């Protein structure tokens, strides 16, 4: 009797108790209060665990027997992991989240993944997408990628990459928005908005601004190499795009691998604490790059893992991706008084904040909806958006005698291993994208030009050629009216650890072009690559060039859309195409130097090469379409403006052809004299303008004083009076100019 009374009492007490939610479990309270309450209940070990991010993998099936996986599950269950990356799909994310629910405080895990240009429906690489200069399209692309990833259990993507780079040797230029700080800023902000939305539902993911900072300046374009930039360059060239993404509300920022001013970015107090947190007021959390805390040892900045954890925390860094330094050593460092609890709480609190914000405390499986994972991935709607994005990413660099678009009944010879090879179509940042689901160029052509396409390989997968392959290609061209040759490099050569000392067209492909040229038929080069290649030699043997980058799932359809004229190419390159490798870095927004080379090459003692021109083969902002546009009558609303004025700039744009067309009108400025030197041109605004045949329109821009300012070495915007030029045109080279004075 006595025994059963005790039982009854215990069970009543437990039921009542489990119904009273602890403050951190109460969704009616503010997130800040919930975070505070939870922090108050956590041990130092559990807090350090929240800063631990591990590489995931599988947690079901055979993985259950794997020792490495078992030890991760154990750590999760002990509350010693805050996040996992690379756990794919609702089944796997659910399985490991179950372990987190067995931990003392049941703090859910965050799942991160590199969703760089799509999850299952693959979009053009970010560099290509940027060539559309279509901000709405870019935002849509990111929101589709987010919807697919979130429907598959992912909370967080490691994108956008906001690194500015002038170096096509660097494989990672494919992940960014090119060489211009202004364009990269507006694009990065849109990508953040597209990924995150309002971060309320389970169809958005957190964005991660990377790699903070200046990773695009690696010496020689070599991955993981040294960076040495002055504060002048840091503020004016490298930092603006990260800042724009942070201001767009990015939840997270990733430390870069490189050093800045001799200090690794993960341990760099100036970057993390002074700039990101204090000056920019970043409220989200930081994650290291892969093992970048521990790699401070290799840099010669930390003596061991414990020292690395200390230095990272002292700089203000937070989550530790794959170093396992934080969760192992932070408790010790706190005990030794080297770090304060407040420092730890600040970092942990920010991470918990986003776990609450994403609704994971209410439902840790909120993103693990297997039905959504089936319904929302690779839909027709997403594929159509990807096709449109791919069309807009194509840049037509050359179109002599208007050989494109091809006539409807033209007989087409398509040559090139890449036109057929699906495995070369993608880079490795494609999450769950499958190359066999993608449309190759050959398939796209066959579908669009049914019966009128013949194909030959032309060169080997390693880009060399043989007499037999060349002969087959020639045979294939005999009956053709026009020849398309898909040259370039494999998609697999784009991305991390894909630095190339010679980003060029191979000798085998050049030989193929040279031979085909002798047939006297029009030749179009379709250039596949995740970066601008040196096209100078190839250019000699072809009548037209379409830079088709890495276009994703719908590549073949998009190229056929453009080649056939069903759609017009409208892209403009966001990186200069070098004339020769030795010219790299070559970029439009360079400085004038003390000895600028005259356009007439005569004379001596100028800043120039003796063997090649200074200018790139194709400049930033360049790209043709099927219509010709004329620019005239550039006029300014005033010839002097004050710091509180707005200047109105008008230019008359005419469509000189009988096709409707779309032009990306670009506005650049030059500040002629300043306390810190300014580039010869700086993009400040652009507009996409649709024009009916023979249409004439005025295009209007408003320029405010802020557009004329630049950063001093302390990161403050300064505005100095003096002479300015305004340039307007269809690329950074061919522009009309007007001058005014800022009083
Ligand atoms: C890359 C990051 C990436 C991370 C996670 C690193 O090696 O530099 O850009 O987000 O791995 O995959």
């Amino acid at each position: 009797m006595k025994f059963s009374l005790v039982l009854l009492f215990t069970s009543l007490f437990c039921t009542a108790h489990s119904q009273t939610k602890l403050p951190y479990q109460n969704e009616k309270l503010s997130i800040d209060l919930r975070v505070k309450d939870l922090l108050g209940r956590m041990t130092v070990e559990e807090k350090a665990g929240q800063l631990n991010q591990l590489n995931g993998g599988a947690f079901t099936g055979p993985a259950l027997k794997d020792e490495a996986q078992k030890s991760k599950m154990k750590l999760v269950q002990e509350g010693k992991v805050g996040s996992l990356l690379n756990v794919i799909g609702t089944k796997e994310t659910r399985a490991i989240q179950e372990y987190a629910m067995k931990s003392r405080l049941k703090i859910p895990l965050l799942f991160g993944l590199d969703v760089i240009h799509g999850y299952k429906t693959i979009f053009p690489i970010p560099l290509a997408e940027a060539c559309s200069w279509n901000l709405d399209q870019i935002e849509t692309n990111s929101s589709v990628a987010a919807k697919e990833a979130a429907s598959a259990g992912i909370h967080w993507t490691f994108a956008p990459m906001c690194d500015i780079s002038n170096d096509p040797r660097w494989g990672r230029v494919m992940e960014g928005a090119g060489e211009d700080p202004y364009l990269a800023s507006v694009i990065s902000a849109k990508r953040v908005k597209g990924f995150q939305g309002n971060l309320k539902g389970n169809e958005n993911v957190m964005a991660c601004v990377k790699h903070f900072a200046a990773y695009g300046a690696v010496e020689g374009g070599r991955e993981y190499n040294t960076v040495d930039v002055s504060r002048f360059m840091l503020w004016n060239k490298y930092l603006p795009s990260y800042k724009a993404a942070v201001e767009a509300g990015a939840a997270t920022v990733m430390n870069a691998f490189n050093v800045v001013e001799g200090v690794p970015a993960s341990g760099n107090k100036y970057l993390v604490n002074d700039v990101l947190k204090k000056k920019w007021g970043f409220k989200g959390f930081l994650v290291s790059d892969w093992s970048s805390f521990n790699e401070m040892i290799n840099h010669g900045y930390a003596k061991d893992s414990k020292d690395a954890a200390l230095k990272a925390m002292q700089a203000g860094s937070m989550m530790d991706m794959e170093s396992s330094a934080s969760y192992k050593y932070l408790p010790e460092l706190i005990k030794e008084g080297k770090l304060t609890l407040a420092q730890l709480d600040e970092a942990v609190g920010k991470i918990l904040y986003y776990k609450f914000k994403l609704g994971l405390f209410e439902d840790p499986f909120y993103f693990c909806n297997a039905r959504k994972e089936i319904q929302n991935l690779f839909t027709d709607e997403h594929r159509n958006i990807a096709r449109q994005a791919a069309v807009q990413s194509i840049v037509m660099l050359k179109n002599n005698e208007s050989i494109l678009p091809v006539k409807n009944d033209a007989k087409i010879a398509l040559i090139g291993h890449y036109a057929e090879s699906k495995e070369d179509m993608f880079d490795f940042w494609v999450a769950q994208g499958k190359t066999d689901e993608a449309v190759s160029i050959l398939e796209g052509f066959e579908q669009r030009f049914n019966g009128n396409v013949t194909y030959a390989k032309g060169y080997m997968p390693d880009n060399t050629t043989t007499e037999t392959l060349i002969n087959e290609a020639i045979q294939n061209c005999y009956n053709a009216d026009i020849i398309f040759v898909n040259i370039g490099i494999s998609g697999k050569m784009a991305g991390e650890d894909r630095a190339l000392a010679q980003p060029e067209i191979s000798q085998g492909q050049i030989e193929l072009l040279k031979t085909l040229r002798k047939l006297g038929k029009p030749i179009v080069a379709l250039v596949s690559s995740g970066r601008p290649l040196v096209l100078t030699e190839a250019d000699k043997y072809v009548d037209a060039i379409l830079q088709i980058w890495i276009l994703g799932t719908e590549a073949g359809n998009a190229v056929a859309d453009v080649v056939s004229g069903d759609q017009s190419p409208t892209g403009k390159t966001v990186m200069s195409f070098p004339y020769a490798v030795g010219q790299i870095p070559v970029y439009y927004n360079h400085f004038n130097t003390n000895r600028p080379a005259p356009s007439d090459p005569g004379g001596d003692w100028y800043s120039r090469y003796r063997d090649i021109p200074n200018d790139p083969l194709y400049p930033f902002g360049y790209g043709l379409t099927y219509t010709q546009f004329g620019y005239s009558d550039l006029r300014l609303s005033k010839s002097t403006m004050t710091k509180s004025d707005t200047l109105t700039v008008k230019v008359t744009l005419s469509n000189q052809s009988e096709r409707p067309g779309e032009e990306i009108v670009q506005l650049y400025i030059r500040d002629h004299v300043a306390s810190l030197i300014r580039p010869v041109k700086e993009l400040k605004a652009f507009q996409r303008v649709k024009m009916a045949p023979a249409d004439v329109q005025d295009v209007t821009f408003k320029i405010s004083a802020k557009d004329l300012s630049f950063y001093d070495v302390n990161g403050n915007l300064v505005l100095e009076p003096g002479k300015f030029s305004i340039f307007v045109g269809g690329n950074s080279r061919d522009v009309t100019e007007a001058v005014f004075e800022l009083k």
Side-chain angles (χ1 to χ4, degrees):
M1 176 67 180
K2 211 168 155 196
F3 177 69
S4 57
L5 261 181
V6 171
L7 251 185
L8 177 71
F9 178 77
T10 319
S11 81
L12 275 178
F13 175 80
C14 289
T15 321
H17 186 73
S18 66
Q19 275 164 0
T20 345
K21 285 184 176 166
L22 296 168
Y24 81 88
Q25 294 163 330
N26 185 349
E27 66 266 35
K28 298 214 172 86
L29 296 179
S30 74
I31 296 185
D32 288 338
L33 277 178
R34 297 175 78 184
V35 168
K36 202 165 167 227
D37 178 68
L38 182 52
L39 282 173
R41 293 169 197 279
M42 293 168 78
T43 63
V44 172
E45 284 70 22
E46 283 165 337
K47 288 177 183 175
Q50 284 303 303
L51 301 187
N52 185 24
Q53 185 185 53
L54 295 179
N55 187 28
F59 295 98
T60 63
L64 289 168
K65 295 208 174 99
D66 185 287
E67 284 312 314
Q69 292 309 87
K70 276 203 248 173
S71 75
K72 281 180 212 162
M73 293 178 221
K74 186 165 171 281
L75 283 178
V76 168
Q77 203 166 326
E78 289 167 359
K80 290 187 179 156
V81 181
S83 170
L84 290 165
L85 75 155
N86 299 333
V87 186
I88 309 278
T90 55
K91 186 172 161 217
E92 296 299 336
T93 50
R94 179 176 284 276
I96 187 71
Q97 192 74 293
E98 304 267 13
Y99 283 88
M101 290 306 106
K102 291 180 193 161
S103 67
R104 191 177 75 89
L105 292 164
K106 301 188 180 5
I107 302 177
L109 293 163
L110 283 175
F111 297 111
L113 184 71
D114 291 285
V115 182
I116 305 299
H117 53 118
Y119 179 78
K120 180 87 171 144
T121 309
I122 302 303
F123 286 82
I125 52 169
L127 182 70
E129 170 191 73
C131 294
S132 72
W133 301 52
N134 186 336
L135 300 179
D136 293 337
Q137 176 81 49
I138 290 171
E139 184 173 346
T140 305
N141 299 348
S142 301
S143 71
V144 170
K147 183 172 175 175
E148 292 198 355
S151 301
I154 303 302
H155 307 129
W156 180 18
T157 176
F158 303 119
M161 186 185 95
C162 304
D163 304 327
I164 300 292
S165 177
N166 302 134
D167 201 329
R169 289 172 299 183
W170 193 42
R172 303 200 76 166
V173 295
M174 56 85 59
E175 251 189 282
E179 73 191 35
D180 181 68
Y182 169 78
L183 188 60
S185 296
V186 289
I187 288 177
S188 300
K190 284 289 183 182
R191 295 195 71 206
V192 168
K193 293 219 160 99
F195 287 133
Q196 294 197 164
N198 57 13
L199 268 191
K200 276 232 163 89
N202 54 3
E203 294 191 349
N204 292 122
V205 294
M206 295 190 294
C208 184
V209 175
K210 70 186 190 185
H211 307 85
F212 191 68
Y215 193 30
V218 277
E219 282 178 2
R222 210 180 70 208
E223 191 79 74
Y224 317 124
N225 205 3
T226 303
V227 164
D228 186 11
V229 288
S230 63
R231 287 210 184 176
F232 158 61
M233 290 304 272
L234 195 62
W235 278 102
N236 285 287
K237 181 167 183 156
Y238 294 102
L239 291 183
S241 48
Y242 309 106
K243 180 170 185 275
V246 165
E247 283 170 358
T252 73
V253 169
M254 184 184 286
N255 306 114
F257 285 126
N258 54 278
V259 294
V260 170
E261 297 177 318
V263 179
S266 301
N268 195 310
K269 190 172 160 301
Y270 176 69
L271 285 180
V272 176
N273 197 57
D274 303 355
V275 174
L276 182 63
K277 292 190 190 167
K278 289 213 176 119
K279 205 161 177 69
W280 296 351
F282 173 61
K283 297 273 177 291
F285 71 89
L286 283 117
V287 62
S288 76
D289 203 345
W290 189 287
S291 196
S292 69
F293 286 3
N294 265 355
E295 287 173 14
M296 290 198 280
I297 304 169
N298 288 345
H299 273 301
Y301 188 72
K303 62 175 188 291
D304 52 27
S305 212
K306 182 172 170 185
D307 194 28
L310 174 66
K311 289 190 165 135
M313 284 300 280
Q314 281 172 335
S317 292
M318 299 176 182
M319 192 180 268
D320 169 1
M321 181 192 286
E322 268 292 289
S323 284
S324 293
S326 302
Y327 93 91
K328 284 191 185 150
Y329 301 110
L330 291 185
E332 238 171 277
L333 288 163
I334 301 253
K335 230 182 248 156
E336 291 165 11
K338 295 197 173 124
L339 285 173
T340 64
L341 210 51
Q343 278 172 305
L344 182 62
D345 282 359
E346 192 219 316
V348 179
K350 299 260 161 78
I351 294 163
L352 294 176
Y353 179 93
Y354 280 97
K355 293 188 173 183
F356 281 111
K357 174 129 181 118
L358 291 173
L360 298 177
F361 277 90
E362 278 61 75
D363 178 4
F365 307 103
Y366 188 34
F367 288 60
C368 296
N369 183 328
R371 190 178 44 82
K372 271 193 170 209
E373 189 174 17
I374 295 169
Q375 274 172 3
N376 286 351
L377 269 52
F378 210 62
T379 63
D380 286 348
E381 188 200 346
H382 293 178
R383 292 188 63 173
N384 282 335
I385 297 171
R387 181 166 177 169
Q388 192 50 31
V391 164
Q392 295 194 24
S393 303
I394 295 172
V395 181
M396 185 161 74
L397 294 171
K398 182 174 181 181
N399 191 20
N400 285 357
E401 323 261 325
S402 297
I403 62 160
L404 290 175
V406 293
K407 312 252 157 1
N408 239 339
D409 54 354
K411 291 204 171 50
I412 295 174
L414 178 62
I415 322 269
H417 163 75
Y418 294 142
E420 189 192 25
S421 164
K422 293 207 173 183
E423 70 176 278
D424 291 292
M425 282 181 72
F426 286 179
D427 54 292
F428 64 87
W429 290 131
V430 287
Q432 285 299 285
K434 301 279 175 276
T435 43
D436 58 10
E437 291 168 348
V439 182
S440 69
I441 307 293
L442 178 58
E443 287 169 343
F445 271 46
E446 278 174 340
Q447 206 160 332
R448 177 59 182 79
F449 305 104
N450 44 8
N452 277 341
V453 184
T454 56
Y455 171 76
K457 202 173 164 64
Y459 54 89
M460 307 284 282
D462 66 358
N463 301 329
T464 59
T465 193
T466 61
E467 216 179 302
T468 317
L469 286 173
I470 291 200
N471 284 336
E472 273 169 27
I474 294 172
Q475 294 283 325
N476 186 51
C477 292
Y478 278 142
N479 292 325
D481 301 313
I482 184 163
I483 305 168
F484 283 83
V485 192
N486 191 182
I487 54 173
I489 47 176
S490 168
K492 290 186 278 190
M493 276 297 126
E496 186 173 353
D497 188 21
R498 300 295 186 274
L500 291 175
Q502 290 164 315
E504 296 171 313
I505 301 296
S506 71
Q507 277 316 305
Q509 293 180 358
I510 295 287
E511 203 183 314
L512 173 68
L513 291 177
K514 247 188 205 170
T515 316
L516 296 176
R517 190 69 186 155
K518 294 189 191 131
L519 301 177
K521 301 191 181 202
I523 303 184
V524 182
L526 304 171
V527 186
S528 296
S529 60
R531 63 185 101 205
L533 297 173
V534 176
L535 299 177
T536 312
E537 179 71 7
D539 201 317
K540 293 182 193 156
Y541 310 113
V542 300
D543 304 279
I545 303 176
L546 288 179
Q547 175 65 37
I548 60 170
W549 309 109
I550 297 169
L551 290 177
T553 303
E554 291 293 322
N557 287 333
V559 176
D561 285 343
V562 165
V563 159
S564 62
D566 295 345
Q567 305 248 26
S568 299
T570 53
K572 306 259 189 185
T573 186
V574 296
M575 270 190 92
S576 305
F577 278 76
Y579 187 93
V581 170
Q583 200 190 36
I584 296 171
V586 60
Y587 48 98
Y588 88 95
N589 47 356
H590 58 83
F591 300 105
N592 202 37
T593 79
N594 57 323
R595 300 275 177 94
S599 37
D600 161 15
D604 291 325
W605 320 121
Y606 294 115
S607 173
R608 53 111 180 273
Y609 295 106
R610 289 287 178 173
D611 51 349
I612 58 160
N614 276 8
D615 291 333
L617 185 65
Y618 294 108
F620 175 85
Y622 189 83
L624 304 170
T625 182
Y626 293 149
T627 25
Q628 304 286 331
F629 293 103
Y631 287 80
S632 61
D633 203 13
L634 176 64
R635 54 220 188 264
L636 309 182
S637 57
K638 41 190 113 170
S639 56
T640 57
M641 78 180 268
T642 65
K643 293 183 178 177
S644 54
D645 275 352
T646 301
L647 182 74
T648 305
V649 180
K650 276 188 196 295
V651 72
T652 305
L653 183 69
S654 51
N655 178 354
Q656 300 166 342
S657 9
E658 279 148 24
R659 266 179 86 101
E662 199 165 352
E663 170 72 324
I664 299 166
V665 181
Q666 301 157 38
L667 182 147
Y668 299 85
I669 66 154
R670 176 168 179 188
D671 181 351
H672 287 269
V673 180
S675 55
L676 291 172
I677 58 161
R678 307 303 309 137
V680 294
K681 279 186 195 124
E682 291 177 79
L683 182 72
K684 288 292 166 179
F686 62 89
Q687 283 179 40
R688 288 178 70 97
V689 184
K690 284 201 166 130
M691 304 276 282
D695 199 2
V696 179
Q697 280 184 38
D698 274 350
V699 181
T700 307
F701 293 96
K702 301 264 186 218
I703 294 294
S704 72
K706 189 164 182 278
D707 299 317
L708 306 174
S709 55
F710 58 92
Y711 285 100
D712 66 15
V713 293
N714 299 314
N716 299 317
L717 275 180
V718 291
L719 181 62
E720 295 177 351
K723 180 181 159 193
F724 285 82
S725 287
I726 295 275
F727 309 93
V728 179
N731 63 69
S732 62
R733 183 189 62 201
D734 307 312
V735 288
T736 54
E737 180 179 1
V739 174
F740 71 96
E741 185 93 10
L742 176 72
K743 287 277 184 212

